[in-house]
Amino acid sequence: MELSNNITTTFMNYMKNASDWVTFAYDAPFARAVLFGVPIGGHLFVEGLLLVVILFLLSQKSYKPPKRPLTNKEIDELCDEWVPESLIPPIKEEMEKEAPVLESAAGPHTTINGIDVVNFASANYLGLMGHEKLLESCISALEKYGVGSCGPRGFYGTIDVHLDCEARIARFLGTPDSILYSYGLSTMFSAIPAFCKKGDIVIVDEGVHWGIQNGLYLSRSTIVYFKHNNMESLRSTLEKVTQDNKRAKKLRRYIVVESVYQNSGQIAPLDEIIRLKEKYRFRVLLDESNSFGVLGKSGRGLTEHYNVPIDKVDIVTAAMGHALASEGGFCTGSNRVVDHQRLSSSGYVFSASLPPYLASAAITAIDVIEENPQLLTKLRDNVKTLCTGLLGIQGLEIASDILSPIVFLILKKSTGSLKNDLQLLQDIADRVLKEHSVFVAPSKRSTLDKCNLPVGIRLFVSAAHTESDLQEAYESLKSVAASILTGQN
Amino acid sequence: MITVPYLTALTTYFSYGLLFAFGQLRDFFRRFIDWWKAGNLQGYAPICLGLEDFYIRRLYLRIQDCFGRPISSPPDAWFDVVERISYDNNKTLKRTTKTSRCLNLGSYNYLGFAAADEYCTPRVIECLKKYSASTCSTRVEGGTTALHCELEDVVANFVRKPAALVTGMGYVTNSAILPVLIAKGGLIISDSLNHNSIVNGARGSGATIRVFQHNTPSHLEKVLRELIADGQPRTHRPWKKIIVVVEGIYSMEGELCELPEIVSICKKYKAYVYLDEAHSIGAIGKTGRGVCELLGVDTADVDVMMGTFTKSFGSCGGYIAGSKELIQYLKYTCPAHIYATSISPPSAEQILSAIKVILGEDGSNRGAQKLAQIRENSNYFRSELQKMGFEVLGDNDSPVMPIMLYNPAKIPAFSRECLKQKVAVVTVAFPATPLLLARARICISAAHSREDMVKALTVISNVGDLVGIKYFPAESKMPQVEEARAKVE
């Protein structure tokens, strides 16, 4: 009792002492100083101390885990551990298939393994391959210039034949100027990045071929696909895109279509496209590889076919490896379009120019087309005959337009997987070749191709095919399809 | 390593600054004038915005007559350059019918196969008559002839690899092969001065791209170690595979690649080597087999070898050589093989005949003569130029020799003066080279005789004195490092 009393008293004494000290500190003389007419209380001392502590803490760096760069030994270990994939995936058996080897020119008739076959696998639409005028001009060009041109266009690779060819093409089509490329595939994938830059909007048909897809990917623009050859889908896409980008005055907008699609044989309705383009203010890029020399009254292509003046289409490209029986490609349009490409198109500036004999072959081919318009009518009749002959074929149907020089047969009922479809079509083509000596081309897809259109068998009709050739073709296809595709109908 | 004297660097910057200022001034006034006359582009964004083609309009067009000179004869040692005149201050150039016979120092004609050759041309004409100018078809359809198969075997043999694949254009070979070999998740390490086709192919593949200092194996090793240890960007997962891309001879520098060191580094770190021999195949090495033969590298160590036929074989096209599995895989997936027209048969025959001549299989020793001639010519020309005091880049044995010009005004001066004295040279400026380092590039050929070279040397010496590009004191073998020189890489 006394102890607890003592303890409490002592405790109280201590507390009293402490509070006395604190009060003393509060009431210390300087605490009662009057500074600038404002009385300062002793609490300022404590606040001042707090401020100092806060400043001290703030000035400390926040805790970061120490950066420890990898030591050389660790890098060595990581490098040893790392195992790369093999350069190519393992070879599967379908990769070992070899293409049939021709032993003569790829004209309407050709020789495979010593047997004469009817050739429907070359895009020799007007039968100009092997024409004597072309051969003559090629031979004189070879004797004069040799084979190669040994330089890019900017460094003495421009031969007068190239300039003549460009002028001839421009005159034939009615445009101010044109530009020659040395390879068909590189035409589109060099022309597109020269015009479409990052941030531009490009509206593309989903069935375009790989060259265009690659060009668009390299251009880094915004790409919007519309349904294959569907004008309603194009209209709604244009509407949507214009709504979304109302304020973009500096944006360039393009529509990219092919005239005759390589992947399906359909023909693009150019008059519709031009109407839409003018309404929504887009520029049109048209790839006329398969329609140059084929469509139109005199072979000038899709614009003549639809009676659209050619200056309404901003940029027209084409590969010359089809109707013109030559190689290379060209691009044509207004002067501004063509001049711009001479310096900023990578496939033109950084690559050697077209061999001169191919350019002179192209000039002669255009001359022949202008003088012989009956080749075009013959081609159209041939296509009609073939299509009527192929009606009722079992398991396959014609997906291409009646005017297209490519007759495209797709499976009525797909097996579900691309691989099996390709295998089936390959079997049909092989049997047709082996048993009936007709050479057709089943479509092939690269792993890089993004196109999703159905695969099929393609027949490239030529004006040089005779009635009997066509008859052999459709009869043999009918019989082989009937035997392989039984039960598929 | 190029060392630019301070005064030259200063004057070059000043010249470009002046040109830029004047260009901006003209643009300013042009905007006023255009404001008066409205164009017919209502609603459409212009094809080229403001500064995108500033360089072309204000700088390049002034000296346009130095580039793209047309010729009217084969690009042999002597050729006819067509004269052009301009009525509107170099904005457009018109052809005239006058030509002048000049010495050709610009075409890529290393072994002299450019013009009609006594062995090759008759065979090419035979082939043209048999197979016609083009097959109009892709390799996997109807475009593979017996000639193509023979060509691939011969090329594989020549390059000392198991198999080869031939495409119709060198540019497309790079652009279409790299995306097949590597995709997103892989890494491409390329030399900083690689050609545009490699850059395009690398971009098109979607893999991550890193650059190492030009021809510096130690920097390559450093970059490889860092990147393997780091892994893919952001996710830090290990890379799927790494491909290192180098060239045999760099066309703007004339240097040989340091292949043995690079190959050993890649072996150590398990990266794949891709060698682009566009300029070196056929031109260097004891039997013309390229940089591997010259530097003693085993071809089995290089995973993918690529090259073109434009330079040394006087034809067109490109090839890829590698193991049998690689080529089989490429034939199955590569778009250049599946979608593009096959190489024109006469060009293929030219390559075959040229290889036969080089290997001596035509029964004469013209091949060995040509190879010895080009080596002698290049070494003689280079040493003479260096004795005269020019700054010449490149290694011994390489047939490409750039002469440094630096100042933008010297480019047209050198080119036009040489043309007046009947020597045709190639001048290269921005953007093919860095801004400060404009140069004139000389390509020596086996067709140049000793008198031709002596004439060329006298003319170049005269013009060099006139224009003031002898940056080194004459008659000194090694350029002395004097004080106050800025090092530019």
Side-chain angles (χ1 to χ4, degrees), chain A residues 374-402:
Chain A
Q374 71 271 19
L375 289 170
L376 296 147
T377 36
K378 181 92 181 8
L379 174 63
R380 250 168 262 156
D381 294 334
N382 280 359
V383 174
K384 256 194 226 117
T385 323
L386 189 62
C387 284
T388 22
L390 283 171
L391 284 173
I393 188 171
Q394 186 173 36
L396 297 170
E397 60 180 0
I398 300 182
S400 60
D401 198 286
I402 190 79

mmCIF file of all heavy atoms in Angstrom, chain A residues 374-402:
data_model
loop_
_atom_site.group_PDB
_atom_site.id
_atom_site.type_symbol
_atom_site.label_atom_id
_atom_site.label_comp_id
_atom_site.label_asym_id
_atom_site.label_seq_id
_atom_site.Cartn_x
_atom_site.Cartn_y
_atom_site.Cartn_z
ATOM 1 N N GLN A 374 -8.670 -9.220 -134.007
ATOM 2 C CA GLN A 374 -9.459 -10.449 -134.043
ATOM 3 C C GLN A 374 -8.947 -11.456 -133.021
ATOM 4 O O GLN A 374 -9.644 -12.397 -132.655
ATOM 5 C CB GLN A 374 -9.456 -11.083 -135.443
ATOM 6 C CG GLN A 374 -8.164 -11.703 -135.861
ATOM 7 C CD GLN A 374 -7.263 -10.691 -136.542
ATOM 8 O OE1 GLN A 374 -7.449 -9.491 -136.399
ATOM 9 N NE2 GLN A 374 -6.288 -11.176 -137.281
ATOM 10 N N LEU A 375 -7.701 -11.276 -132.527
ATOM 11 C CA LEU A 375 -7.197 -12.173 -131.483
ATOM 12 C C LEU A 375 -8.066 -12.084 -130.237
ATOM 13 O O LEU A 375 -8.312 -13.083 -129.560
ATOM 14 C CB LEU A 375 -5.756 -11.796 -131.116
ATOM 15 C CG LEU A 375 -4.682 -12.100 -132.139
ATOM 16 C CD1 LEU A 375 -3.386 -11.434 -131.722
ATOM 17 C CD2 LEU A 375 -4.477 -13.574 -132.271
ATOM 18 N N LEU A 376 -8.547 -10.868 -129.962
ATOM 19 C CA LEU A 376 -9.351 -10.702 -128.753
ATOM 20 C C LEU A 376 -10.672 -11.434 -128.870
ATOM 21 O O LEU A 376 -11.123 -12.091 -127.919
ATOM 22 C CB LEU A 376 -9.610 -9.216 -128.514
ATOM 23 C CG LEU A 376 -8.357 -8.415 -128.228
ATOM 24 C CD1 LEU A 376 -8.485 -7.016 -128.766
ATOM 25 C CD2 LEU A 376 -8.131 -8.374 -126.754
ATOM 26 N N THR A 377 -11.303 -11.316 -130.065
ATOM 27 C CA THR A 377 -12.584 -12.005 -130.210
ATOM 28 C C THR A 377 -12.372 -13.512 -130.154
ATOM 29 O O THR A 377 -13.181 -14.244 -129.583
ATOM 30 C CB THR A 377 -13.267 -11.629 -131.535
ATOM 31 O OG1 THR A 377 -12.266 -11.462 -132.523
ATOM 32 C CG2 THR A 377 -14.065 -10.363 -131.383
ATOM 33 N N LYS A 378 -11.257 -13.987 -130.727
ATOM 34 C CA LYS A 378 -10.996 -15.426 -130.696
ATOM 35 C C LYS A 378 -10.863 -15.896 -129.254
ATOM 36 O O LYS A 378 -11.390 -16.944 -128.874
ATOM 37 C CB LYS A 378 -9.701 -15.709 -131.479
ATOM 38 C CG LYS A 378 -9.290 -17.142 -131.566
ATOM 39 C CD LYS A 378 -9.859 -17.789 -132.806
ATOM 40 C CE LYS A 378 -9.525 -19.256 -132.994
ATOM 41 N NZ LYS A 378 -8.873 -19.979 -131.986
ATOM 42 N N LEU A 379 -10.150 -15.094 -128.460
ATOM 43 C CA LEU A 379 -9.974 -15.475 -127.056
ATOM 44 C C LEU A 379 -11.317 -15.556 -126.345
ATOM 45 O O LEU A 379 -11.593 -16.513 -125.618
ATOM 46 C CB LEU A 379 -9.057 -14.452 -126.366
ATOM 47 C CG LEU A 379 -8.877 -14.617 -124.870
ATOM 48 C CD1 LEU A 379 -8.213 -15.911 -124.555
ATOM 49 C CD2 LEU A 379 -8.055 -13.471 -124.307
ATOM 50 N N ARG A 380 -12.172 -14.560 -126.604
ATOM 51 C CA ARG A 380 -13.470 -14.565 -125.918
ATOM 52 C C ARG A 380 -14.286 -15.777 -126.328
ATOM 53 O O ARG A 380 -14.942 -16.411 -125.495
ATOM 54 C CB ARG A 380 -14.218 -13.278 -126.245
ATOM 55 C CG ARG A 380 -14.310 -12.365 -125.055
ATOM 56 C CD ARG A 380 -14.787 -11.006 -125.421
ATOM 57 N NE ARG A 380 -13.668 -10.112 -125.574
ATOM 58 C CZ ARG A 380 -13.679 -9.020 -126.300
ATOM 59 N NH1 ARG A 380 -14.739 -8.673 -126.965
ATOM 60 N NH2 ARG A 380 -12.624 -8.258 -126.376
ATOM 61 N N ASP A 381 -14.246 -16.101 -127.622
ATOM 62 C CA ASP A 381 -15.001 -17.283 -128.062
ATOM 63 C C ASP A 381 -14.470 -18.536 -127.404
ATOM 64 O O ASP A 381 -15.239 -19.408 -126.990
ATOM 65 C CB ASP A 381 -14.904 -17.426 -129.590
ATOM 66 C CG ASP A 381 -15.601 -16.295 -130.295
ATOM 67 O OD1 ASP A 381 -16.521 -15.726 -129.694
ATOM 68 O OD2 ASP A 381 -15.222 -15.996 -131.438
ATOM 69 N N ASN A 382 -13.144 -18.631 -127.322
ATOM 70 C CA ASN A 382 -12.562 -19.823 -126.692
ATOM 71 C C ASN A 382 -13.021 -19.980 -125.255
ATOM 72 O O ASN A 382 -13.351 -21.083 -124.799
ATOM 73 C CB ASN A 382 -11.025 -19.744 -126.727
ATOM 74 C CG ASN A 382 -10.492 -20.157 -128.073
ATOM 75 O OD1 ASN A 382 -11.239 -20.509 -128.960
ATOM 76 N ND2 ASN A 382 -9.186 -20.104 -128.223
ATOM 77 N N VAL A 383 -13.029 -18.849 -124.534
ATOM 78 C CA VAL A 383 -13.440 -18.928 -123.125
ATOM 79 C C VAL A 383 -14.884 -19.382 -123.030
ATOM 80 O O VAL A 383 -15.253 -20.238 -122.208
ATOM 81 C CB VAL A 383 -13.258 -17.559 -122.429
ATOM 82 C CG1 VAL A 383 -13.812 -17.600 -121.027
ATOM 83 C CG2 VAL A 383 -11.812 -17.173 -122.381
ATOM 84 N N LYS A 384 -15.715 -18.845 -123.934
ATOM 85 C CA LYS A 384 -17.141 -19.226 -123.903
ATOM 86 C C LYS A 384 -17.296 -20.712 -124.170
ATOM 87 O O LYS A 384 -18.052 -21.397 -123.471
ATOM 88 C CB LYS A 384 -17.914 -18.438 -124.960
ATOM 89 C CG LYS A 384 -18.728 -17.338 -124.355
ATOM 90 C CD LYS A 384 -19.731 -16.795 -125.329
ATOM 91 C CE LYS A 384 -19.682 -15.304 -125.283
ATOM 92 N NZ LYS A 384 -19.333 -14.506 -126.277
ATOM 93 N N THR A 385 -16.564 -21.193 -125.193
ATOM 94 C CA THR A 385 -16.659 -22.619 -125.522
ATOM 95 C C THR A 385 -16.268 -23.471 -124.335
ATOM 96 O O THR A 385 -16.951 -24.439 -123.984
ATOM 97 C CB THR A 385 -15.718 -22.970 -126.697
ATOM 98 O OG1 THR A 385 -15.701 -21.913 -127.611
ATOM 99 C CG2 THR A 385 -16.104 -24.253 -127.341
ATOM 100 N N LEU A 386 -15.160 -23.095 -123.692
ATOM 101 C CA LEU A 386 -14.680 -23.902 -122.575
ATOM 102 C C LEU A 386 -15.686 -23.892 -121.436
ATOM 103 O O LEU A 386 -15.975 -24.926 -120.829
ATOM 104 C CB LEU A 386 -13.320 -23.377 -122.109
ATOM 105 C CG LEU A 386 -12.599 -24.247 -121.098
ATOM 106 C CD1 LEU A 386 -12.302 -25.592 -121.670
ATOM 107 C CD2 LEU A 386 -11.305 -23.583 -120.679
ATOM 108 N N CYS A 387 -16.234 -22.714 -121.153
ATOM 109 C CA CYS A 387 -17.172 -22.640 -120.029
ATOM 110 C C CYS A 387 -18.413 -23.454 -120.306
ATOM 111 O O CYS A 387 -18.913 -24.158 -119.418
ATOM 112 C CB CYS A 387 -17.557 -21.183 -119.757
ATOM 113 S SG CYS A 387 -16.257 -20.285 -118.931
ATOM 114 N N THR A 388 -18.950 -23.358 -121.543
ATOM 115 C CA THR A 388 -20.140 -24.166 -121.834
ATOM 116 C C THR A 388 -19.797 -25.641 -121.764
ATOM 117 O O THR A 388 -20.590 -26.448 -121.287
ATOM 118 C CB THR A 388 -20.717 -23.858 -123.239
ATOM 119 O OG1 THR A 388 -19.700 -23.299 -124.026
ATOM 120 C CG2 THR A 388 -21.880 -22.925 -123.165
ATOM 121 N N GLY A 389 -18.599 -25.991 -122.216
ATOM 122 C CA GLY A 389 -18.212 -27.398 -122.153
ATOM 123 C C GLY A 389 -18.075 -27.907 -120.737
ATOM 124 O O GLY A 389 -18.291 -29.082 -120.448
ATOM 125 N N LEU A 390 -17.697 -27.006 -119.808
ATOM 126 C CA LEU A 390 -17.474 -27.455 -118.444
ATOM 127 C C LEU A 390 -18.733 -27.431 -117.590
ATOM 128 O O LEU A 390 -18.679 -27.782 -116.416
ATOM 129 C CB LEU A 390 -16.425 -26.562 -117.766
ATOM 130 C CG LEU A 390 -14.989 -26.841 -118.161
ATOM 131 C CD1 LEU A 390 -14.079 -25.766 -117.603
ATOM 132 C CD2 LEU A 390 -14.541 -28.176 -117.632
ATOM 133 N N LEU A 391 -19.859 -27.033 -118.164
ATOM 134 C CA LEU A 391 -21.077 -27.014 -117.355
ATOM 135 C C LEU A 391 -21.440 -28.433 -116.982
ATOM 136 O O LEU A 391 -21.346 -29.337 -117.800
ATOM 137 C CB LEU A 391 -22.234 -26.410 -118.146
ATOM 138 C CG LEU A 391 -22.215 -24.892 -118.283
ATOM 139 C CD1 LEU A 391 -23.316 -24.478 -119.225
ATOM 140 C CD2 LEU A 391 -22.433 -24.241 -116.929
ATOM 141 N N GLY A 392 -21.866 -28.626 -115.781
ATOM 142 C CA GLY A 392 -22.305 -29.950 -115.381
ATOM 143 C C GLY A 392 -21.166 -30.846 -114.948
ATOM 144 O O GLY A 392 -21.352 -32.041 -114.756
ATOM 145 N N ILE A 393 -20.011 -30.285 -114.758
ATOM 146 C CA ILE A 393 -18.908 -31.121 -114.300
ATOM 147 C C ILE A 393 -19.178 -31.506 -112.846
ATOM 148 O O ILE A 393 -19.730 -30.724 -112.078
ATOM 149 C CB ILE A 393 -17.579 -30.372 -114.463
ATOM 150 C CG1 ILE A 393 -16.389 -31.284 -114.182
ATOM 151 C CG2 ILE A 393 -17.518 -29.158 -113.598
ATOM 152 C CD1 ILE A 393 -15.089 -30.659 -114.537
ATOM 153 N N GLN A 394 -18.795 -32.724 -112.477
ATOM 154 C CA GLN A 394 -19.189 -33.181 -111.159
ATOM 155 C C GLN A 394 -18.233 -32.656 -110.099
ATOM 156 O O GLN A 394 -17.025 -32.778 -110.220
ATOM 157 C CB GLN A 394 -19.165 -34.708 -111.149
ATOM 158 C CG GLN A 394 -19.708 -35.267 -109.871
ATOM 159 C CD GLN A 394 -19.830 -36.747 -109.952
ATOM 160 O OE1 GLN A 394 -19.006 -37.414 -110.559
ATOM 161 N NE2 GLN A 394 -20.852 -37.281 -109.331
ATOM 162 N N GLY A 395 -18.778 -32.093 -109.057
ATOM 163 C CA GLY A 395 -17.951 -31.714 -107.913
ATOM 164 C C GLY A 395 -17.245 -30.378 -108.033
ATOM 165 O O GLY A 395 -16.714 -29.872 -107.061
ATOM 166 N N LEU A 396 -17.241 -29.799 -109.243
ATOM 167 C CA LEU A 396 -16.541 -28.520 -109.392
ATOM 168 C C LEU A 396 -17.513 -27.517 -110.000
ATOM 169 O O LEU A 396 -18.434 -27.886 -110.722
ATOM 170 C CB LEU A 396 -15.343 -28.659 -110.339
ATOM 171 C CG LEU A 396 -14.233 -29.586 -109.921
ATOM 172 C CD1 LEU A 396 -13.272 -29.780 -111.084
ATOM 173 C CD2 LEU A 396 -13.466 -29.025 -108.748
ATOM 174 N N GLU A 397 -17.295 -26.242 -109.704
ATOM 175 C CA GLU A 397 -18.117 -25.235 -110.370
ATOM 176 C C GLU A 397 -17.221 -24.076 -110.795
ATOM 177 O O GLU A 397 -16.153 -23.860 -110.237
ATOM 178 C CB GLU A 397 -19.211 -24.737 -109.435
ATOM 179 C CG GLU A 397 -18.689 -24.113 -108.175
ATOM 180 C CD GLU A 397 -19.802 -23.639 -107.289
ATOM 181 O OE1 GLU A 397 -20.970 -23.801 -107.682
ATOM 182 O OE2 GLU A 397 -19.510 -23.117 -106.228
ATOM 183 N N ILE A 398 -17.726 -23.337 -111.804
ATOM 184 C CA ILE A 398 -16.918 -22.250 -112.350
ATOM 185 C C ILE A 398 -17.132 -21.008 -111.498
ATOM 186 O O ILE A 398 -18.242 -20.519 -111.354
ATOM 187 C CB ILE A 398 -17.333 -21.955 -113.800
ATOM 188 C CG1 ILE A 398 -17.132 -23.209 -114.634
ATOM 189 C CG2 ILE A 398 -16.506 -20.822 -114.360
ATOM 190 C CD1 ILE A 398 -17.472 -23.013 -116.070
ATOM 191 N N ALA A 399 -16.058 -20.483 -110.901
ATOM 192 C CA ALA A 399 -16.190 -19.308 -110.036
ATOM 193 C C ALA A 399 -15.817 -18.032 -110.750
ATOM 194 O O ALA A 399 -15.971 -16.953 -110.194
ATOM 195 C CB ALA A 399 -15.285 -19.471 -108.818
ATOM 196 N N SER A 400 -15.304 -18.119 -111.962
ATOM 197 C CA SER A 400 -14.805 -16.903 -112.598
ATOM 198 C C SER A 400 -15.861 -16.320 -113.508
ATOM 199 O O SER A 400 -16.834 -16.956 -113.868
ATOM 200 C CB SER A 400 -13.554 -17.217 -113.408
ATOM 201 O OG SER A 400 -13.859 -18.155 -114.391
ATOM 202 N N ASP A 401 -15.630 -15.111 -113.912
ATOM 203 C CA ASP A 401 -16.547 -14.396 -114.786
ATOM 204 C C ASP A 401 -16.456 -14.973 -116.196
ATOM 205 O O ASP A 401 -15.442 -15.519 -116.581
ATOM 206 C CB ASP A 401 -16.103 -12.924 -114.776
ATOM 207 C CG ASP A 401 -17.180 -12.007 -115.261
ATOM 208 O OD1 ASP A 401 -17.400 -12.000 -116.475
ATOM 209 O OD2 ASP A 401 -17.790 -11.327 -114.431
ATOM 210 N N ILE A 402 -17.495 -14.789 -116.992
ATOM 211 C CA ILE A 402 -17.488 -15.366 -118.334
ATOM 212 C C ILE A 402 -16.478 -14.652 -119.243
ATOM 213 O O ILE A 402 -16.004 -15.206 -120.223
ATOM 214 C CB ILE A 402 -18.913 -15.298 -118.946
ATOM 215 C CG1 ILE A 402 -18.988 -16.105 -120.235
ATOM 216 C CG2 ILE A 402 -19.318 -13.888 -119.240
ATOM 217 C CD1 ILE A 402 -19.126 -17.549 -120.009
#
